[in-house]
Amino acid sequence: MTENRPVRPEPGRHNLDPHLDRYAARTAGMTASEIRALFAVASRPEVVSLAGGMPNLAALPLDTLSAQVGELIAEDGLVALQYGSAHGVPALREQICEIMALEGIKAHPDDVVVTVGSQMGLDMVTRLFCDPGDVIIAEGPSYVGALGSFAAYQADVVHVAMDDHGLVPEGLRAALAETRKAGRRVKFLYTIPNFHNPGGVTLAVERRAEIVEICRENDILIIEDNPYGLLGFSGQTYPALRSIDPDNVVYLGSFSKTFASGLRVGWVLAPHAVREKLVLAAESATLCPPTLNQLIVSRYLSTHDWMGQIKTFRENYRERRDAILSALEQHMPAGCSWTKPDGGFYVWMTVPEGVDTKAMLPRAVTARVAYASGTGFYADGFGSRQLRLSYCYPTPERIREGVRRLAAVLESEMDLARTFGNASPRSISGPQNPSPDTV
């Protein structure tokens, strides 16, 4: 791959893609996930998948929801099945403001733009702010879907380390100083402060104001991605960065983790001037988000005990979190470490030196367990000793069995490393695009 263009075939070689010369330069950043190639195998029932971030929807009241959707179409079908505004259904935008108030956000419905999932919001924000060669600061590791969007718009990612308390402020200062010294233009900080994907850690409350101040001092916008904020296992909600500085934070939210991911309803809360451009970007991307899906969410919020439903989700996910942590403690060999999330879906694990989690993945699937290798969560080739384990979907029994299988595979890899020496980690060029089993 060249710097700005897709790879061209050598003279005399057969070109399998007759459109290769027509693609835009930005397609050079589109690379496939190594997990997607194994997805058909990993999704077999005999394989315990700890790779996917799919919410567990079994606790939803499907009979009630089915009746409500039927009533919605019978009563308001001419509206629900028609085109709508790119801005989003007004009633839903008002309800979204009430939800964000739980995290200290004071917002006006006019500044909320409903999107087809928060991924669409992230893509639009990147399109609005980033020119090719601009720099985005992000935690290392970071959400694979965000890295895919950043690469698609030819922005470069500079990672900042996290610890058990989230993004390290001193690391952020150093990254900004080094990037500026190199003459690079930093457009924004992208951060997942609560129950990080894939890191599983939460930004400490005492760090939040400091990070907001660092960005304000350096004239850096903040993109706050918060799909898991209401899924803390203690029931605690944390103050949003947006609540600290409304003028310099664009907030991304979603109903995918707290209601139904298949409806693809998310939102962006942005400063007023940015909101205007987001509406224009939404019109060009989808014309309008699906009205039916928005009205389903709105009716659910207005007629159902949605906070009680979130409590049920939290209890289910806490049980699964406890299962994976106890299984890791029981089965994993010495030299492994992992985060201990207090909410969300993920555990981030580091394996002993000499083990390459990407190279190990096919052998793990052969042993009937799947995970997400760490390289997909970095834009710079790191992560070969890390992996993400998702506990949200399998039952606790399946989780424990999956960890047992993974530990056996890891023991075998460590034996090989001790016998033949440490393999050099392979460098990965660019992020890997998300697929249903990685997001």
Side-chain angles (χ1 to χ4, degrees):
M1 182 183 297
T2 62
E3 182 176 357
N4 293 314
R5 288 286 177 186
V7 174
R8 305 297 181 218
E10 297 177 8
R13 291 282 187 92
H14 179 62
N15 181 11
L16 297 178
D17 185 353
H19 305 286
L20 191 62
D21 289 326
R22 300 180 177 132
Y23 294 132
R26 60 182 171 273
T27 62
M30 295 180 177
T31 56
S33 166
E34 78 271 13
I35 296 178
R36 186 165 54 195
L38 293 166
F39 185 55
V41 176
S43 61
R44 294 193 318 230
E46 66 270 22
V47 176
V48 178
S49 179
L50 303 175
M54 295 186 297
N56 193 314
L57 304 181
L60 282 174
L62 297 182
D63 290 344
T64 301
L65 292 174
S66 175
Q68 288 183 346
V69 171
E71 292 170 1
L72 173 61
I73 293 177
E75 297 169 5
D76 297 307
L78 294 180
V79 174
L81 302 177
Q82 185 56 274
Y83 286 123
S85 165
H87 203 160
V89 171
L92 179 58
R93 288 190 276 115
E94 292 177 2
Q95 291 165 314
I96 286 171
C97 289
E98 295 172 3
I99 292 171
M100 292 188 294
L102 298 173
E103 298 172 321
I105 296 175
K106 297 179 180 178
H108 194 281
D110 286 351
D111 290 330
V112 174
V113 179
V114 179
T115 58
V116 183
S118 62
Q119 182 69 31
M120 174 184 169
L122 180 58
D123 189 88
M124 292 194 305
V125 168
T126 310
R127 174 151 56 109
L128 289 180
F129 284 102
C130 290
D131 293 313
D134 283 342
V135 172
I136 295 169
I137 304 290
E139 292 120 342
S142 189
Y143 168 50
V144 64
L147 299 181
S149 286
F150 302 157
Y153 291 104
Q154 299 175 289
D156 296 326
V157 175
V158 172
H159 287 296
V160 176
M162 295 185 292
D163 59 19
D164 289 341
H165 304 288
L167 181 68
V168 179
E170 294 77 11
L172 176 59
R173 287 193 181 93
L176 289 171
E178 292 173 7
T179 306
R180 291 274 174 78
K181 185 177 179 180
R184 307 293 304 280
R185 188 181 187 190
V186 179
K187 281 297 181 70
F188 56 74
L189 165 68
Y190 170 74
T191 180
I192 308 169
N194 300 320
F195 321 125
H196 189 274
N197 177 9
V201 299
T202 295
L203 181 62
V205 172
E206 58 269 20
R207 289 185 180 182
R208 298 187 178 220
E210 182 178 3
I211 286 172
V212 167
E213 182 59 28
I214 291 170
C215 291
R216 187 188 298 119
E217 290 173 353
N218 288 273
D219 193 27
I220 303 299
L221 183 69
I222 297 174
I223 310 299
E224 179 180 14
D225 196 355
N226 188 35
Y228 308 97
L230 298 181
L231 293 176
F233 299 140
S234 68
Q236 178 182 1
T237 55
Y238 296 91
L241 303 181
R242 167 77 189 204
S243 71
I244 302 171
D245 189 357
D247 294 329
N248 197 48
V249 178
V250 175
Y251 178 100
L252 304 176
S254 175
F255 291 104
S256 292
K257 308 303 187 293
T258 57
F259 180 27
S261 53
L263 290 175
R264 307 305 301 131
V265 178
W267 72 89
V268 183
L269 172 66
H272 193 76
V274 177
R275 188 284 314 272
E276 291 296 319
K277 288 184 171 55
L278 282 171
V279 172
L280 295 175
E283 288 176 344
S284 69
T286 64
L287 188 62
C288 62
T291 305
L292 174 61
N293 295 15
Q294 294 178 76
L295 291 178
I296 290 173
V297 175
S298 181
R299 181 165 292 210
Y300 167 79
L301 294 173
S302 62
T303 63
H304 192 71
D305 178 15
W306 60 272
M307 284 296 292
Q309 186 66 57
I310 288 176
K311 181 181 179 181
T312 299
F313 283 141
R314 286 199 304 258
E315 292 169 352
N316 287 345
Y317 296 139
R318 181 174 59 236
E319 180 185 21
R320 287 160 168 77
R321 186 278 313 264
D322 291 346
I324 199 167
L325 291 183
S326 64
L328 290 169
E329 190 68 35
Q330 178 181 357
H331 295 294
M332 282 298 155
C336 297
S337 61
W338 50 86
T339 56
K340 298 175 175 60
D342 59 355
F345 288 4
Y346 306 109
V347 168
W348 184 247
M349 181 173 167
T350 300
V351 300
E353 188 174 352
V355 177
D356 183 333
T357 60
K358 179 179 178 181
M360 185 176 74
L361 180 56
R363 293 186 281 278
V365 172
T366 299
R368 297 174 298 155
V369 62
Y371 59 83
S373 58
T375 52
F377 301 97
Y378 286 89
D380 51 14
F382 287 99
S384 62
R385 284 184 54 204
Q386 281 76 40
L387 56 89
R388 189 192 73 179
L389 299 174
S390 173
Y391 51 80
C392 51
Y393 191 77
T395 64
E397 293 74 21
R398 294 277 286 173
I399 289 170
R400 284 188 280 267
E401 175 60 19
V403 170
R404 187 193 66 78
R405 295 175 187 178
L406 178 60
V409 174
L410 184 54
E411 289 274 16
S412 178
E413 294 292 304
M414 293 169 63
D415 286 343
L416 287 173
R418 284 190 289 266
T419 301
F420 297 104
N422 295 342
S424 299
R426 290 170 292 177
S427 177
I428 308 298
S429 178
Q432 294 145 29
N433 288 350
S435 62
D437 57 316
T438 61
V439 297

